[in-house]
Amino acid sequence: MKPSIKSLLVLFFAFNVILAFAQTAPQGATLYENVRVFDGVSTKLTPPTNVLVVNNLIKTISAKPIQIPAGTTSTVIAGGGRTLMPGLSDAHTHIWLTPTMDEILKGDVKQLNAAASATAKSMLMNGWTTVRDMAGPVFQLKSDIDSGKAIGPRIYPSGTMITQTSGHGDFSAPEALPRSFGGPLSIGEQLRISSVVDGRAQVLTATRFNLRNGATQIKLATSGGVSSPADTPTVHEFTADEIKAAVEAASDFGTYVSVHAYNIESVRRSVEAGVRVIEHGQLLDEPTIKYLKNKNIWLSTQNFEEFSAPYTPFQIHKEHQVVMGESNVFKWALQNNIKLAWGTDFFFQPDGVVQNIQLSKMTKWMTPARALKMVTHDNAQLFALSGPRNPYTEGKLGVVQEGAYADLLLVDGDPTVNLEIVADPAKNFRVIMKDGKIFKNTL
């Protein structure tokens, strides 16, 4: 049946009413008055300043009074001389891996998804507005956060960590046959935490699997690790050709490969194969740090702590090796001015405040202002390596600048002088804003 002229006219006028409303709908605005700004780059705070947020972007920054645009629904926050700074970012975390290993191995996906959602909310409420997730099935959670169905930080997901048989991400039972020999999927593969692969063809498939699911970058394990059962941080994993396969597939999609690697040989083999980011690197020497500088490679590292029970004696020994190397690596990285990002490798830690505590300890190697720059502006530069796969391009991340995303913290005190402030977010982070929305306001 053809629609009548009358019904077409009704639809036409209804469409125009909706369009007109969309064009004139009031914008949301938040005005921060009398704040001192850490912009993510400078070493000192600004004099008293005003910052206007319209919708999800920073519109105006001025020492003079700012007029709120007409037709906006507005919130005015009296800063009282507090510090306004970018939200914090973690370049290496695992939102889906915060339950204990025993809970993960039970494989209750519903329970694990609920735990991941709670972890994401905890991270945001502790001031972490962006994270790079480096292994785990967080694609649906990211989608839910971006659409407003869940609360949490922006997520740059990697999907499964790609590992070789007996590698860092292979948690198969020792006697289990590899899949190539007719064996079953390991528990890590069943839960989409890891992909256990061997040879160029399987590496290509695993990489493309993650890209199909929405990975913004690819992660390989090219050395042994601490938590894994069958290797040590000194082991070299994947051949050069296998690593190149991942690099080629990721490059075809406009993004990069980041590798879990602690030791010299694994790092150099990875870089020569085209890898652009090294995760960890605590067992490197100074010539290799200079090599990373000359090759324009990012080092995304962490400040780890010694392990104790319930970790096994083998894991405790391996962690000790890593911790003993980290001070030299931080020293050499800063002396050689390499591209340095920071994360926590946050996992098996249900208390999200551990991220804040680990950040506060970075003054062992650098000034508070340098540490804050690293977890705001610098991490954001690393995230941008994902190129056309970057899901957040409307504004800049990690800075307080006009046109940047309004991911902001209003903080008691001056964290560029006293980094201990960040260790107690419940007390010291008075306002938490992400994407122009206020999630906490205790003023």
Side-chain angles (χ1 to χ4, degrees):
M1 179 183 295
K2 291 184 178 180
S4 67
I5 297 296
K6 182 178 179 180
S7 63
L8 287 173
L9 287 171
V10 169
L11 288 172
F12 175 77
F13 284 114
F15 173 77
N16 280 279
V17 168
I18 294 170
L19 181 62
F21 177 79
Q23 291 173 338
T24 61
Q27 295 179 309
T30 302
L31 177 61
Y32 294 89
E33 293 185 322
N34 185 24
V35 294
R36 301 184 66 198
V37 174
F38 168 66
D39 63 5
V41 180
S42 302
T43 58
K44 295 182 179 180
L45 305 183
T46 66
T49 302
N50 305 300
V51 177
L52 175 66
V53 172
V54 176
N55 288 341
N56 66 333
L57 301 177
I58 298 171
K59 177 71 173 177
T60 308
I61 301 174
S62 177
K64 298 179 180 179
I66 298 174
Q67 185 70 35
I68 296 175
T72 61
T73 56
S74 61
T75 299
V76 178
I77 295 176
R82 294 179 177 86
T83 300
L84 187 72
M85 61 175 285
L88 305 173
S89 64
D90 189 328
H92 189 128
T93 191
H94 299 281
I95 293 177
W96 216 76
L97 298 179
T98 50
T100 65
M101 178 61 83
D102 287 341
E103 290 172 320
I104 292 171
L105 292 177
K106 289 177 183 176
D108 186 334
V109 174
K110 185 176 180 180
Q111 180 182 8
L112 293 170
N113 282 334
S117 183
T119 295
K121 182 177 180 179
S122 174
M123 285 184 179
L124 179 61
M125 300 311 293
N126 286 317
W128 301 88
T129 55
T130 306
V131 301
R132 194 173 57 132
D133 192 276
M134 298 307 285
V138 296
F139 297 111
Q140 185 59 54
L141 177 59
K142 169 188 162 46
S143 177
D144 289 346
I145 291 171
D146 289 346
S147 65
K149 295 178 183 177
I151 295 174
R154 303 177 191 273
I155 299 175
Y156 284 80
S158 300
T160 64
M161 177 173 65
I162 302 172
T163 183
Q164 68 175 41
T165 298
S166 79
H168 175 58
D170 184 1
F171 286 86
S172 305
E175 70 279 4
L177 286 174
R179 279 187 295 105
S180 299
F181 295 169
L185 290 174
S186 68
I187 183 64
E189 291 174 296
Q190 292 175 40
L191 295 174
R192 303 296 188 264
I193 296 168
S194 59
S195 294
V196 183
V197 298
D198 298 289
R200 163 175 274 271
Q202 290 187 357
V203 171
L204 287 172
T205 300
T207 301
R208 290 166 178 163
F209 171 73
N210 286 323
L211 292 167
R212 185 182 71 187
N213 284 323
T216 50
Q217 63 283 322
I218 297 299
K219 181 186 177 185
L220 263 67
T222 61
S223 87
V226 172
S227 60
S228 43
D231 57 15
T232 70
T234 57
V235 167
H236 314 140
E237 297 178 354
F238 281 127
T239 65
D241 190 53
E242 289 171 316
I243 301 169
K244 286 178 183 177
V247 170
E248 289 166 8
S251 298
D252 284 345
F253 276 70
T255 189
Y256 66 96
V257 172
S258 187
V259 295
H260 161 107
Y262 285 107
N263 63 71
I264 295 167
E265 174 60 31
S266 298
V267 165
R268 288 180 178 263
R269 179 188 296 178
S270 299
V271 173
E272 290 301 320
V275 165
R276 299 180 66 187
V277 184
I278 303 299
E279 306 295 322
H280 310 314
Q282 280 87 347
L283 301 185
L284 299 182
D285 58 9
E286 188 172 14
T288 305
I289 294 294
K290 291 180 177 180
Y291 168 82
L292 296 182
K293 169 69 174 179
N294 293 334
K295 293 286 188 176
N296 201 31
I297 303 299
W298 280 88
L299 176 63
S300 170
T301 193
Q302 306 77 34
N303 50 321
F304 286 135
E305 306 287 340
E306 298 279 5
F307 277 176
S308 57
Y311 289 97
T312 67
F314 184 43
Q315 289 171 323
I316 291 170
H317 167 70
K318 291 192 290 182
E319 181 73 355
H320 178 69
Q321 287 181 295
V322 170
V323 170
M324 293 303 292
E326 68 187 21
S327 285
N328 277 334
V329 167
F330 274 117
K331 178 182 70 175
W332 295 327
L334 292 168
Q335 287 176 348
N336 290 281
N337 194 31
I338 74 168
K339 290 184 174 181
L340 188 63
W342 182 88
T344 54
D345 203 5
F346 179 95
F347 69 115
F348 309 145
Q349 297 277 357
D351 181 9
V353 80
V354 71
Q355 289 173 290
N356 302 69
I357 292 172
Q358 288 303 101
L359 173 57
S360 72
K361 294 178 180 179
M362 289 302 297
T363 51
K364 290 165 62 176
W365 300 287
M366 61 187 71
T367 67
R370 178 67 181 82
L372 289 177
K373 177 177 178 288
M374 186 167 56
V375 299
T376 54
H377 170 274
D378 294 356
N379 276 356
Q381 304 308 299
L382 168 58
F383 302 153
L385 286 183
S386 53
R389 301 194 59 87
N390 187 349
Y392 308 114
T393 57
E394 187 180 355
K396 291 182 179 179
L397 290 172
V399 291
V400 182
Q401 296 176 1
E402 293 179 358
Y405 279 116
D407 296 355
L408 299 168
L409 308 177
L410 188 64
V411 181
D412 279 341
D414 181 356
T416 67
V417 174
N418 177 16
L419 197 58
E420 287 293 326
I421 288 170
V422 306
D424 192 351
K427 175 185 176 183
N428 297 322
F429 292 0
R430 305 300 299 276
V431 175
I432 296 175
M433 171 179 277
K434 192 198 100 178
D435 207 38
K437 300 177 182 67
I438 296 174
F439 288 87
K440 175 183 176 181
N441 185 354
T442 60
L443 292 177

